[in-house]
Coordinates of all heavy atoms in Angstrom, one line a residue:
V93 N -118.8 25.0 125.7 CA -118.1 26.2 125.1 C -116.6 26.1 125.4 O -116.4 26.1 126.6 CB -118.8 27.5 125.4 CG1 -118.0 28.6 124.7 CG2 -120.2 27.5 125.0
R94 N -115.8 26.0 124.4 CA -114.4 26.0 124.8 C -113.5 26.4 123.6 O -114.1 26.5 122.5 CB -113.9 24.5 125.1 CG -114.2 23.5 124.1 CD -113.8 22.0 124.5 NE -113.8 21.2 123.4 CZ -112.8 20.6 122.7 NH1 -111.6 21.2 123.0 NH2 -112.9 19.7 121.9
S95 N -112.3 26.6 123.7 CA -111.4 26.8 122.6 C -110.6 25.5 122.3 O -110.3 24.8 123.0 CB -110.3 27.8 123.1 OG -109.2 27.9 122.2
H96 N -110.7 25.5 120.8 CA -110.0 24.2 120.3 C -108.5 24.4 120.1 O -107.8 23.5 119.6 CB -110.7 23.8 119.0 CG -112.2 23.2 119.2 ND1 -112.4 21.9 119.4 CD2 -113.4 23.9 119.4 CE1 -113.7 21.8 119.6 NE2 -114.2 23.0 119.6
A97 N -108.1 25.6 120.2 CA -106.7 26.0 119.9 C -105.7 25.2 120.7 O -105.9 24.9 121.9 CB -106.5 27.5 120.2
H98 N -104.5 24.9 120.1 CA -103.5 24.2 120.8 C -102.2 24.9 120.3 O -102.1 25.7 119.4 CB -103.4 22.8 120.4 CG -103.3 22.4 119.0 ND1 -104.4 22.2 118.2 CD2 -102.2 22.3 118.2 CE1 -103.9 21.9 117.1 NE2 -102.7 22.0 116.9
D99 N -101.2 24.7 121.1 CA -99.8 25.3 120.9 C -99.1 24.6 119.7 O -99.2 23.3 119.6 CB -99.0 25.3 122.1 CG -99.5 26.3 123.2 OD1 -100.3 27.2 122.7 OD2 -99.3 26.1 124.3
L100 N -98.4 25.3 118.9 CA -97.4 24.8 118.0 C -96.2 25.8 118.0 O -96.2 27.0 117.8 CB -98.1 24.9 116.6 CG -97.3 23.9 115.5 CD1 -97.2 22.6 115.7 CD2 -97.9 24.2 114.0
P101 N -95.0 25.1 118.1 CA -93.7 25.9 118.3 C -93.6 27.0 117.0 O -94.0 26.5 115.9 CB -92.6 25.0 118.3 CG -93.2 23.8 118.8 CD -94.6 23.8 118.4
K102 N -93.0 28.2 117.2 CA -93.0 29.0 116.2 C -92.0 28.6 115.1 O -92.4 28.9 113.8 CB -92.5 30.4 116.8 CG -92.4 31.5 115.8 CD -91.9 32.8 116.4 CE -92.9 33.5 117.3 NZ -92.4 34.9 117.8
K103 N -91.1 27.9 115.4 CA -90.1 27.4 114.4 C -90.9 26.3 113.5 O -90.5 26.2 112.3 CB -89.0 26.7 115.1 CG -88.0 27.6 115.7 CD -86.8 27.0 116.2 CE -85.8 28.0 116.7 NZ -84.5 27.5 117.3
V104 N -91.8 25.6 114.1 CA -92.6 24.5 113.2 C -93.5 25.3 112.2 O -93.7 24.8 111.1 CB -93.3 23.5 114.1 CG1 -94.1 22.6 113.2 CG2 -92.3 22.8 115.0
R105 N -94.1 26.3 112.8 CA -95.0 27.1 111.9 C -94.2 27.8 110.8 O -94.6 27.7 109.6 CB -95.5 28.3 112.8 CG -96.7 27.8 113.6 CD -97.3 28.9 114.4 NE -96.9 29.0 115.8 CZ -96.9 30.2 116.6 NH1 -97.3 31.3 116.0 NH2 -96.5 30.1 117.8
A106 N -93.0 28.3 111.0 CA -92.2 28.9 110.0 C -91.7 27.8 109.0 O -91.7 28.1 107.8 CB -91.0 29.6 110.6
L107 N -91.4 26.7 109.5 CA -90.9 25.5 108.6 C -92.0 25.1 107.8 O -91.8 24.8 106.6 CB -90.4 24.4 109.5 CG -89.7 23.3 108.8 CD1 -88.4 23.8 108.1 CD2 -89.1 22.3 109.8
G108 N -93.3 25.1 108.3 CA -94.4 24.6 107.5 C -94.7 25.5 106.4 O -95.0 25.0 105.3
L109 N -94.4 26.8 106.6 CA -94.7 27.8 105.5 C -93.6 27.6 104.4 O -94.0 27.6 103.2 CB -94.7 29.2 106.0 CG -94.8 30.3 105.0 CD1 -96.1 30.2 104.2 CD2 -94.7 31.6 105.8
R110 N -92.4 27.4 104.8 CA -91.3 27.1 103.8 C -91.5 25.8 103.1 O -91.3 25.8 101.8 CB -90.1 27.1 104.5 CG -89.6 28.5 104.9 CD -88.6 28.6 106.0 NE -87.4 27.6 105.7 CZ -86.4 27.3 106.5 NH1 -86.6 27.5 107.9 NH2 -85.4 26.5 106.3
H111 N -92.0 24.8 103.7 CA -92.4 23.6 103.0 C -93.6 23.6 102.1 O -93.5 23.0 101.0 CB -92.7 22.4 104.0 CG -91.4 21.9 104.7 ND1 -90.7 20.8 103.9 CD2 -90.7 22.1 105.7 CE1 -89.6 20.5 104.7 NE2 -89.7 21.2 105.7
A112 N -94.5 24.5 102.5 CA -95.7 24.7 101.5 C -95.3 25.5 100.3 O -95.6 25.2 99.2 CB -96.8 25.5 102.4
L113 N -94.4 26.5 100.5 CA -93.8 27.3 99.3 C -93.0 26.3 98.4 O -93.1 26.3 97.2 CB -93.2 28.4 99.7 CG -93.8 29.6 100.6 CD1 -92.8 30.5 101.1 CD2 -94.7 30.2 99.5
S114 N -92.3 25.5 99.1 CA -91.5 24.6 98.3 C -92.3 23.6 97.5 O -91.9 23.1 96.4 CB -90.5 23.7 99.3 OG -89.6 24.7 99.9
A115 N -93.3 23.1 98.2 CA -94.3 22.1 97.5 C -94.8 22.7 96.2 O -95.1 22.2 95.1 CB -95.3 21.7 98.4
K116 N -95.2 24.1 96.4 CA -95.7 24.8 95.2 C -94.8 24.9 94.1 O -95.2 24.7 92.9 CB -96.4 26.1 95.7 CG -97.7 26.1 96.3 CD -98.8 25.6 95.3 CE -100.1 25.6 96.0 NZ -101.1 25.0 95.2
L117 N -93.5 25.3 94.4 CA -92.5 25.4 93.4 C -92.2 24.1 92.7 O -92.1 24.0 91.5 CB -91.2 26.0 94.0 CG -90.2 26.4 92.9 CD1 -90.6 27.3 92.0 CD2 -88.9 26.9 93.7
K118 N -92.2 23.0 93.6 CA -91.9 21.7 93.0 C -93.0 21.3 92.0 O -92.7 20.6 91.0 CB -91.7 20.6 94.2 CG -91.3 19.3 93.7 CD -91.1 18.5 94.8 CE -90.5 17.0 94.4 NZ -90.4 16.2 95.5
A119 N -94.2 21.6 92.3 CA -95.3 21.3 91.5 C -95.5 22.3 90.2 O -96.5 22.2 89.4 CB -96.7 21.3 92.2
E120 N -94.6 23.3 90.2 CA -94.6 24.2 89.0 C -95.9 25.1 89.1 O -96.5 25.4 88.1 CB -94.4 23.6 87.7 CG -92.9 22.9 87.7 CD -92.8 22.3 86.2 OE1 -93.7 22.4 85.4 OE2 -91.7 21.9 85.9
E121 N -96.3 25.4 90.3 CA -97.5 26.3 90.5 C -97.3 27.6 91.1 O -98.3 28.2 91.7 CB -98.5 25.4 91.3 CG -99.1 24.2 90.7 CD -100.1 23.4 91.6 OE1 -100.1 23.6 92.7 OE2 -100.8 22.6 90.9
I122 N -96.1 28.1 90.9 CA -95.9 29.5 91.5 C -95.5 30.4 90.2 O -95.0 30.0 89.2 CB -94.5 29.5 92.3 CG1 -94.9 28.8 93.7 CG2 -94.1 30.9 92.5 CD1 -93.8 29.0 94.6
I123 N -96.3 31.5 90.2 CA -96.1 32.5 89.2 C -95.6 33.8 90.0 O -96.3 34.3 90.8 CB -97.4 32.8 88.5 CG1 -97.8 31.7 87.7 CG2 -97.3 34.0 87.5 CD1 -99.2 31.6 86.9
V124 N -94.6 34.5 89.4 CA -94.2 35.7 89.9 C -94.6 36.9 89.0 O -94.3 36.9 87.8 CB -92.6 35.8 90.2 CG1 -92.2 37.1 90.7 CG2 -92.3 34.6 91.1
L125 N -95.3 37.8 89.6 CA -95.8 39.0 88.8 C -94.8 40.2 89.1 O -94.4 40.4 90.3 CB -97.2 39.4 89.0 CG -98.3 38.3 88.5 CD1 -99.6 38.8 88.8 CD2 -98.0 38.1 86.9
D126 N -94.6 41.1 88.1 CA -94.0 42.2 88.3 C -94.5 43.2 89.3 O -93.9 43.7 90.4 CB -93.8 43.0 86.9 CG -92.9 44.2 87.0 OD1 -91.9 44.1 87.9 OD2 -93.1 45.2 86.4
D127 N -95.9 43.5 89.2 CA -96.5 44.3 90.1 C -97.9 44.1 90.1 O -98.5 43.7 89.1 CB -96.2 45.9 89.7 CG -96.3 46.8 91.0 OD1 -96.7 46.3 92.1 OD2 -96.1 48.0 90.7
L128 N -98.6 44.3 91.2 CA -100.1 44.1 91.3 C -100.8 45.4 91.3 O -101.2 45.9 92.5 CB -100.5 43.3 92.6 CG -99.8 42.0 92.8 CD1 -100.3 41.2 94.0 CD2 -100.0 41.0 91.5
V129 N -101.1 46.0 90.1 CA -101.6 47.4 90.0 C -102.6 47.3 88.8 O -102.3 46.7 87.8 CB -100.5 48.4 89.6 CG1 -101.3 49.7 89.4 CG2 -99.5 48.4 90.7
A130 N -103.8 47.7 89.1 CA -104.8 47.8 88.1 C -105.1 49.3 87.7 O -105.2 50.0 88.7 CB -106.1 47.2 88.7
N131 N -105.3 49.5 86.5 CA -105.5 50.9 86.0 C -106.9 51.4 86.6 O -107.1 52.7 86.8 CB -105.5 51.0 84.6 CG -104.1 50.8 84.1 OD1 -103.1 51.1 84.7 ND2 -104.0 50.2 82.9
E132 N -107.8 50.6 86.8 CA -109.2 50.9 87.2 C -109.7 49.7 87.9 O -109.3 48.7 87.7 CB -110.1 51.4 86.1 CG -110.2 50.4 84.9 CD -111.0 50.9 83.8 OE1 -111.7 52.0 83.9 OE2 -111.2 50.1 82.7
A133 N -110.6 50.0 88.8 CA -111.2 48.9 89.7 C -112.3 48.2 88.9 O -113.5 48.3 89.2 CB -111.8 49.5 90.9

Side-chain angles (χ1 to χ4, degrees):
V93 175
R94 67 186 181 91
S95 168
H96 291 266
H98 58 267
D99 290 334
L100 190 67
K102 187 180 283 188
K103 287 184 178 180
V104 176
R105 285 182 258 158
L107 190 59
L109 181 56
R110 285 158 56 198
H111 277 280
L113 292 169
S114 298
K116 281 294 181 187
L117 185 62
K118 188 175 182 181
E120 298 181 352
E121 291 181 340
I122 287 184
I123 295 174
V124 179
L125 290 182
D126 183 31
D127 207 0
L128 303 180
V129 176
N131 295 326
E132 51 184 354

